[in-house]
Amino acid sequence: MLTLALLSALCGLASSVFLRVADKERACFTENLPSRTRLVGVYWTRLYDEQGYRYLPVHPDLEVNVLATDPDEQVLLSGSGGPEGNFSFTSRRTGNHRICLRSNSTRRPLVAGGALALHLDLRVGDRTNNYAQIAIEDKLTELQLRVRRLTEQVYHIQNNQDYYRLRLKEVHWIQSSTSRWIFWCVVVQTLCLVPLVAWSPAW
Amino acid sequence: MLFLGLGCLLLQVSAVLGTELTFELADNEKQCFYEALEKDVKFEIDFQVIAGGNYDVDSFVTDPQNNVLYNEKKKQYDSFSHTTTMAGTFKVCFSNEFSTFTHKTVYLDFRHGDEEPLIQTMNGATALTQLESSCVAIHEVLKVVDDSQTWYRLREAHDRTKAEHLLERVTYWSIGETVLLFVIGLGQVVMLKSFFSERKGSVAAAT
């Protein structure tokens, strides 16, 4: 039953932006995430036949490698899936997380004159919630589900506020470092110049 | 059980039909994104350059028949909205071909259609109670807050990148200039000293 709900959820996300990638070409994306934020990615592939200007289904042998790294270049997620799949991870640190997808058709090469259409949908925070599934699991009425969605939204906004406060502190530190450098540079230059000017006639 | 199972098939996830992606554009590179849309669908494209060079990028949008709907050069951020007049695949492209060595990081938000109901049973056929209406109103406001936060997060990333570059340049400049000043000052003093000591020597030789 849960599988059915998940399947229907995936079908519900059928509309999304896609890009054309060559075989074995990497498509990388960055997501700036606060800590403790969940990211869910759903992808599916089709083959684009440039001669016929149409989309064809892809062979099930096609592998898509997914690699997700955190701001410190530590691997958060590394795996391979079929032509369709999903992946998720929760960020441990605040910062730029990188998600790369790469198609690998080892067994059967792609049709000549064809590129892969890679559909990707990345969802962050409260948009990762499958409310249909939550309603079934927690046995919620419609009103309870609405309130639950509002709670999740507020939690996500609060998380973003904390993240923003942290980032602001970093920017303040950078700006004060810049002014400190300029200040001390001027002081040191003055300390170099004044003795040179004062004592050079004596030399 | 069967009813519940069938009911699940009808349930759809709440989908603000849209995709947000942040990608890197290398120098002399072009990246295109496609979306299949029906006729009479309103879509909105927001993009912002958050890192790299002069923070600008070329962009254009074409319809399924390759007619250009939007074409702007060297924009830092912009918003474009259009209602489709035909069904098909629409394309939005970003180009960094004018840049010789700077990579750009671009944020793209492609939204289309209306928000789907939370679950399919909430299709608006029945009137909402006051409590439900309040929930809907709060949800809409919170969506605006979320979008504002995304906007500010991007501006913050942009400003932070600029501040980091400034700090780096100021650090190197201040160290370099101090060292140069010291060397030149000392060099000048030594050179002047050598002129006078030569002169003293030649005067002594003359007398």
Side-chain angles (χ1 to χ4, degrees):
Chain A
M1 215 183 314
L2 283 173
T3 328
L4 277 171
L6 260 168
L7 273 172
S8 69
L10 286 173
C11 294
L13 292 169
S15 170
S16 82
V17 155
F18 65 90
L19 56 151
R20 290 190 194 147
V21 288
D23 189 26
K24 296 186 181 29
E25 188 191 330
R26 252 180 160 195
C28 287
F29 302 95
T30 314
E31 280 289 339
N32 204 333
L33 300 175
S35 63
R36 300 188 315 268
T37 302
R38 189 150 178 262
L39 180 139
V40 167
V42 179
Y43 70 87
W44 63 100
T45 50
R46 287 186 300 179
L47 201 60
Y48 179 65
D49 178 19
E50 282 181 33
Q51 266 100 43
Y53 297 104
R54 63 212 167 124
Y55 292 97
L56 306 165
V58 141
H59 197 274
D61 278 350
L62 180 78
E63 234 181 36
V64 175
N65 302 323
V66 179
L67 179 71
T69 50
D70 74 356
D72 297 325
E73 311 277 325
Q74 301 287 319
V75 174
L76 279 175
L77 183 104
S78 172
S80 299
E84 289 169 12
N86 57 66
F87 54 92
S88 75
F89 63 86
T90 304
S91 62
R92 293 192 290 252
R93 265 205 58 202
T94 304
N96 278 335
H97 291 70
R98 210 168 151 78
I99 298 119
C100 290
L101 284 95
R102 190 166 155 270
S103 71
N104 197 3
S105 60
T106 45
R107 297 219 197 143
R108 224 174 265 241
L110 288 177
V111 173
L116 206 64
L118 175 69
H119 292 249
L120 180 64
D121 197 8
L122 295 175
R123 289 176 179 270
V124 174
D126 70 297
R127 291 183 194 180
T128 63
N129 289 330
N130 183 344
Y131 289 104
Q133 195 177 343
I134 290 170
I136 297 161
E137 280 176 6
D138 297 350
K139 298 181 183 50
L140 301 174
T141 62
E142 272 184 35
L143 189 61
Q144 285 172 333
L145 190 65
R146 283 187 197 275
V147 172
R148 175 67 172 267
R149 182 172 63 171
L150 291 177
T151 320
E152 296 287 331
Q153 265 186 301
V154 168
Y155 171 74
H156 181 61
I157 286 168
Q158 207 173 0
N159 220 15
N160 268 330
Q161 293 277 58
D162 292 337
Y163 158 81
Y164 189 65
R165 214 171 286 134
L166 196 77
R167 285 302 201 186
L168 221 59
K169 265 192 208 167
E170 279 179 25
V171 172
H172 285 154
W173 182 88
I174 292 169
Q175 286 172 342
S176 66
S177 293
T178 309
S179 1
R180 260 202 311 271
W181 268 107
I182 295 173
F183 172 73
W184 284 112
C185 169
V186 167
V187 164
V188 165
Q189 283 180 2
T190 314
L191 288 175
C192 286
L193 272 175
V194 166
L196 273 174
V197 167
W199 291 319
S200 54
W203 289 337
Chain B
M1 274 299 166
L2 185 64
F3 174 73
L4 213 53
L6 282 171
C8 292
L9 277 174
L10 293 172
L11 294 175
Q12 296 288 321
V13 169
S14 156
V16 176
L17 290 174
T19 310
E20 289 177 340
L21 290 172
T22 309
F23 59 95
E24 201 176 272
L25 256 187
D27 47 295
N28 287 319
E29 198 186 276
K30 190 170 87 166
Q31 179 70 277
C32 292
F33 296 91
Y34 307 81
E35 176 77 81
L37 296 170
E38 296 297 318
K39 193 176 164 202
D40 299 325
V41 167
K42 185 171 179 221
F43 69 87
E44 276 177 44
I45 294 169
D46 286 330
F47 71 89
Q48 210 179 123
V49 183
I50 54 178
N54 286 329
Y55 301 85
D56 53 2
V57 76
D58 294 344
S59 60
F60 63 90
V61 179
T62 54
D63 69 3
Q65 287 173 357
N66 265 331
N67 301 318
V68 175
L69 302 171
Y70 169 89
N71 187 7
E72 291 289 336
K73 303 279 177 203
K74 298 196 178 176
K75 276 282 209 184
Q76 291 194 356
Y77 58 86
D78 207 359
S79 195
F80 170 68
S81 171
H82 181 76
T83 305
T84 58
T85 51
M86 65 188 88
T89 303
F90 287 74
K91 178 169 84 170
V92 52
C93 292
F94 298 95
S95 165
N96 195 23
E97 283 156 342
F98 59 86
S99 175
T100 40
F101 53 86
T102 46
H103 291 222
K104 306 271 164 72
T105 305
V106 182
Y107 163 84
L108 165 69
D109 185 9
F110 196 131
R111 291 187 306 274
H112 63 92
D114 290 322
E115 185 178 3
E116 282 193 355
L118 196 52
I119 49 177
Q120 211 64 356
T121 48
M122 297 179 190
N123 57 5
T126 54
L128 298 173
T129 64
Q130 208 170 13
L131 203 52
E132 280 171 347
S133 305
S134 301
C135 284
V136 168
I138 295 171
H139 171 66
E140 292 300 318
V141 168
L142 290 181
K143 264 188 357 190
V144 172
V145 172
D146 192 32
D147 286 341
S148 298
Q149 283 194 323
T150 304
W151 174 257
Y152 284 119
R153 182 164 40 90
L154 293 171
R155 297 311 300 166
E156 183 274 325
H158 171 111
D159 293 340
R160 187 167 30 87
T161 314
K162 268 191 161 162
E164 280 170 355
H165 283 156
L166 189 65
L167 177 62
E168 197 184 317
R169 280 190 296 231
V170 161
T171 309
Y172 289 141
W173 164 83
S174 54
I175 293 172
E177 206 194 331
T178 308
V179 163
L180 206 65
L181 201 74
F182 193 68
V183 161
I184 288 173
L186 215 61
Q188 277 183 340
V189 164
V190 164
M191 207 162 59
L192 278 171
K193 195 174 168 188
S194 71
F195 284 158
F196 282 114
S197 56
E198 266 178 32
R199 236 200 180 167
K200 266 190 197 162
S202 59
V203 163
T207 51

